[in-house]
PDB file of all heavy atoms in Angstrom:
ATOM      1  N   GLY A  35      91.677  16.436 -44.749  1.00  0.00           N
ATOM      2  CA  GLY A  35      91.409  17.694 -45.449  1.00  0.00           C
ATOM      3  C   GLY A  35      90.725  17.460 -46.785  1.00  0.00           C
ATOM      4  O   GLY A  35      89.762  18.156 -47.145  1.00  0.00           O
ATOM      5  N   MET A  36      91.224  16.463 -47.528  1.00  0.00           N
ATOM      6  CA  MET A  36      90.610  16.158 -48.822  1.00  0.00           C
ATOM      7  C   MET A  36      89.193  15.615 -48.645  1.00  0.00           C
ATOM      8  O   MET A  36      88.288  15.971 -49.407  1.00  0.00           O
ATOM      9  CB  MET A  36      91.475  15.166 -49.608  1.00  0.00           C
ATOM     10  CG  MET A  36      92.749  15.781 -50.154  1.00  0.00           C
ATOM     11  SD  MET A  36      93.632  14.690 -51.290  1.00  0.00           S
ATOM     12  CE  MET A  36      94.366  13.522 -50.152  1.00  0.00           C
ATOM     13  N   LEU A  37      88.996  14.768 -47.622  1.00  0.00           N
ATOM     14  CA  LEU A  37      87.650  14.246 -47.367  1.00  0.00           C
ATOM     15  C   LEU A  37      86.695  15.362 -46.946  1.00  0.00           C
ATOM     16  O   LEU A  37      85.527  15.377 -47.342  1.00  0.00           O
ATOM     17  CB  LEU A  37      87.695  13.159 -46.293  1.00  0.00           C
ATOM     18  CG  LEU A  37      88.273  11.821 -46.744  1.00  0.00           C
ATOM     19  CD1 LEU A  37      88.520  10.919 -45.550  1.00  0.00           C
ATOM     20  CD2 LEU A  37      87.360  11.147 -47.754  1.00  0.00           C
ATOM     21  N   ARG A  38      87.177  16.302 -46.187  1.00  0.00           N
ATOM     22  CA  ARG A  38      86.352  17.444 -45.782  1.00  0.00           C
ATOM     23  C   ARG A  38      85.944  18.257 -47.012  1.00  0.00           C
ATOM     24  O   ARG A  38      84.785  18.635 -47.175  1.00  0.00           O
ATOM     25  CB  ARG A  38      87.121  18.317 -44.789  1.00  0.00           C
ATOM     26  CG  ARG A  38      86.269  19.410 -44.160  1.00  0.00           C
ATOM     27  CD  ARG A  38      86.561  20.736 -44.858  1.00  0.00           C
ATOM     28  NE  ARG A  38      85.662  21.762 -44.367  1.00  0.00           N
ATOM     29  CZ  ARG A  38      84.948  22.549 -45.165  1.00  0.00           C
ATOM     30  NH1 ARG A  38      85.004  22.423 -46.455  1.00  0.00           N
ATOM     31  NH2 ARG A  38      84.162  23.470 -44.676  1.00  0.00           N
ATOM     32  N   ASP A  39      86.908  18.509 -47.895  1.00  0.00           N
ATOM     33  CA  ASP A  39      86.616  19.268 -49.111  1.00  0.00           C
ATOM     34  C   ASP A  39      85.627  18.513 -50.005  1.00  0.00           C
ATOM     35  O   ASP A  39      84.726  19.113 -50.596  1.00  0.00           O
ATOM     36  CB  ASP A  39      87.905  19.566 -49.884  1.00  0.00           C
ATOM     37  CG  ASP A  39      88.809  20.545 -49.155  1.00  0.00           C
ATOM     38  OD1 ASP A  39      88.358  21.196 -48.182  1.00  0.00           O
ATOM     39  OD2 ASP A  39      89.987  20.664 -49.556  1.00  0.00           O
ATOM     40  N   LEU A  40      85.802  17.188 -50.091  1.00  0.00           N
ATOM     41  CA  LEU A  40      84.884  16.369 -50.885  1.00  0.00           C
ATOM     42  C   LEU A  40      83.475  16.426 -50.290  1.00  0.00           C
ATOM     43  O   LEU A  40      82.490  16.581 -51.014  1.00  0.00           O
ATOM     44  CB  LEU A  40      85.380  14.923 -50.940  1.00  0.00           C
ATOM     45  CG  LEU A  40      84.530  13.937 -51.729  1.00  0.00           C
ATOM     46  CD1 LEU A  40      84.404  14.363 -53.191  1.00  0.00           C
ATOM     47  CD2 LEU A  40      85.130  12.543 -51.623  1.00  0.00           C
ATOM     48  N   GLY A  41      83.385  16.333 -48.974  1.00  0.00           N
ATOM     49  CA  GLY A  41      82.083  16.425 -48.313  1.00  0.00           C
ATOM     50  C   GLY A  41      81.437  17.779 -48.537  1.00  0.00           C
ATOM     51  O   GLY A  41      80.225  17.874 -48.768  1.00  0.00           O
ATOM     52  N   ALA A  42      82.224  18.844 -48.481  1.00  0.00           N
ATOM     53  CA  ALA A  42      81.681  20.191 -48.701  1.00  0.00           C
ATOM     54  C   ALA A  42      81.179  20.343 -50.134  1.00  0.00           C
ATOM     55  O   ALA A  42      80.113  20.928 -50.367  1.00  0.00           O
ATOM     56  CB  ALA A  42      82.748  21.242 -48.395  1.00  0.00           C
ATOM     57  N   ALA A  43      81.914  19.797 -51.092  1.00  0.00           N
ATOM     58  CA  ALA A  43      81.486  19.883 -52.490  1.00  0.00           C
ATOM     59  C   ALA A  43      80.203  19.081 -52.705  1.00  0.00           C
ATOM     60  O   ALA A  43      79.282  19.536 -53.390  1.00  0.00           O
ATOM     61  CB  ALA A  43      82.597  19.379 -53.417  1.00  0.00           C
ATOM     62  N   PHE A  44      80.143  17.896 -52.099  1.00  0.00           N
ATOM     63  CA  PHE A  44      78.935  17.076 -52.213  1.00  0.00           C
ATOM     64  C   PHE A  44      77.743  17.791 -51.571  1.00  0.00           C
ATOM     65  O   PHE A  44      76.652  17.828 -52.121  1.00  0.00           O
ATOM     66  CB  PHE A  44      79.169  15.709 -51.557  1.00  0.00           C
ATOM     67  CG  PHE A  44      77.969  14.812 -51.603  1.00  0.00           C
ATOM     68  CD1 PHE A  44      77.638  14.138 -52.768  1.00  0.00           C
ATOM     69  CD2 PHE A  44      77.163  14.646 -50.486  1.00  0.00           C
ATOM     70  CE1 PHE A  44      76.523  13.314 -52.811  1.00  0.00           C
ATOM     71  CE2 PHE A  44      76.051  13.823 -50.525  1.00  0.00           C
ATOM     72  CZ  PHE A  44      75.731  13.155 -51.690  1.00  0.00           C
ATOM     73  N   TYR A  45      77.970  18.362 -50.400  1.00  0.00           N
ATOM     74  CA  TYR A  45      76.906  19.096 -49.703  1.00  0.00           C
ATOM     75  C   TYR A  45      76.424  20.278 -50.550  1.00  0.00           C
ATOM     76  O   TYR A  45      75.222  20.525 -50.651  1.00  0.00           O
ATOM     77  CB  TYR A  45      77.415  19.579 -48.340  1.00  0.00           C
ATOM     78  CG  TYR A  45      76.365  20.285 -47.523  1.00  0.00           C
ATOM     79  CD1 TYR A  45      75.338  19.578 -46.903  1.00  0.00           C
ATOM     80  CD2 TYR A  45      76.389  21.669 -47.370  1.00  0.00           C
ATOM     81  CE1 TYR A  45      74.375  20.223 -46.155  1.00  0.00           C
ATOM     82  CE2 TYR A  45      75.426  22.323 -46.621  1.00  0.00           C
ATOM     83  CZ  TYR A  45      74.421  21.597 -46.012  1.00  0.00           C
ATOM     84  OH  TYR A  45      73.464  22.241 -45.281  1.00  0.00           O
ATOM     85  N   ALA A  46      77.365  20.984 -51.163  1.00  0.00           N
ATOM     86  CA  ALA A  46      76.995  22.111 -52.026  1.00  0.00           C
ATOM     87  C   ALA A  46      76.116  21.636 -53.183  1.00  0.00           C
ATOM     88  O   ALA A  46      75.141  22.294 -53.539  1.00  0.00           O
ATOM     89  CB  ALA A  46      78.245  22.805 -52.557  1.00  0.00           C
ATOM     90  N   THR A  47      76.446  20.487 -53.730  1.00  0.00           N
ATOM     91  CA  THR A  47      75.648  19.927 -54.825  1.00  0.00           C
ATOM     92  C   THR A  47      74.241  19.574 -54.355  1.00  0.00           C
ATOM     93  O   THR A  47      73.255  19.894 -55.023  1.00  0.00           O
ATOM     94  CB  THR A  47      76.342  18.671 -55.399  1.00  0.00           C
ATOM     95  OG1 THR A  47      77.629  19.039 -55.884  1.00  0.00           O
ATOM     96  CG2 THR A  47      75.538  18.056 -56.520  1.00  0.00           C
ATOM     97  N   LYS A  48      74.134  18.942 -53.192  1.00  0.00           N
ATOM     98  CA  LYS A  48      72.837  18.499 -52.683  1.00  0.00           C
ATOM     99  C   LYS A  48      71.958  19.662 -52.215  1.00  0.00           C
ATOM    100  O   LYS A  48      70.737  19.527 -52.169  1.00  0.00           O
ATOM    101  CB  LYS A  48      73.026  17.520 -51.517  1.00  0.00           C
ATOM    102  CG  LYS A  48      73.529  16.172 -51.947  1.00  0.00           C
ATOM    103  CD  LYS A  48      72.482  15.488 -52.803  1.00  0.00           C
ATOM    104  CE  LYS A  48      72.842  14.067 -53.102  1.00  0.00           C
ATOM    105  NZ  LYS A  48      71.820  13.376 -53.875  1.00  0.00           N
ATOM    106  N   THR A  49      72.560  20.795 -51.864  1.00  0.00           N
ATOM    107  CA  THR A  49      71.775  21.925 -51.368  1.00  0.00           C
ATOM    108  C   THR A  49      71.595  23.027 -52.409  1.00  0.00           C
ATOM    109  O   THR A  49      71.112  24.110 -52.086  1.00  0.00           O
ATOM    110  CB  THR A  49      72.435  22.527 -50.113  1.00  0.00           C
ATOM    111  OG1 THR A  49      73.763  22.933 -50.428  1.00  0.00           O
ATOM    112  CG2 THR A  49      72.434  21.536 -48.965  1.00  0.00           C
ATOM    113  N   GLY A  50      71.980  22.737 -53.643  1.00  0.00           N
ATOM    114  CA  GLY A  50      71.786  23.716 -54.705  1.00  0.00           C
ATOM    115  C   GLY A  50      72.776  24.869 -54.668  1.00  0.00           C
ATOM    116  O   GLY A  50      72.515  25.931 -55.240  1.00  0.00           O
ATOM    117  N   ARG A  51      73.904  24.694 -54.008  1.00  0.00           N
ATOM    118  CA  ARG A  51      74.895  25.771 -53.915  1.00  0.00           C
ATOM    119  C   ARG A  51      76.180  25.444 -54.666  1.00  0.00           C
ATOM    120  O   ARG A  51      77.225  26.016 -54.396  1.00  0.00           O
ATOM    121  CB  ARG A  51      75.222  26.058 -52.449  1.00  0.00           C
ATOM    122  CG  ARG A  51      74.019  26.624 -51.713  1.00  0.00           C
ATOM    123  CD  ARG A  51      74.386  27.068 -50.333  1.00  0.00           C
ATOM    124  NE  ARG A  51      74.249  25.951 -49.407  1.00  0.00           N
ATOM    125  CZ  ARG A  51      74.619  25.983 -48.141  1.00  0.00           C
ATOM    126  NH1 ARG A  51      75.178  27.048 -47.642  1.00  0.00           N
ATOM    127  NH2 ARG A  51      74.442  24.923 -47.371  1.00  0.00           N
TER     128      ARG A  51
END
Side-chain angles (χ1 to χ4, degrees):
M36 287 189 285
L37 286 169
R38 188 259 174 231
D39 292 347
L40 180 60
F44 179 78
Y45 183 74
T47 300
K48 288 294 188 178
T49 58
R51 294 187 272 173

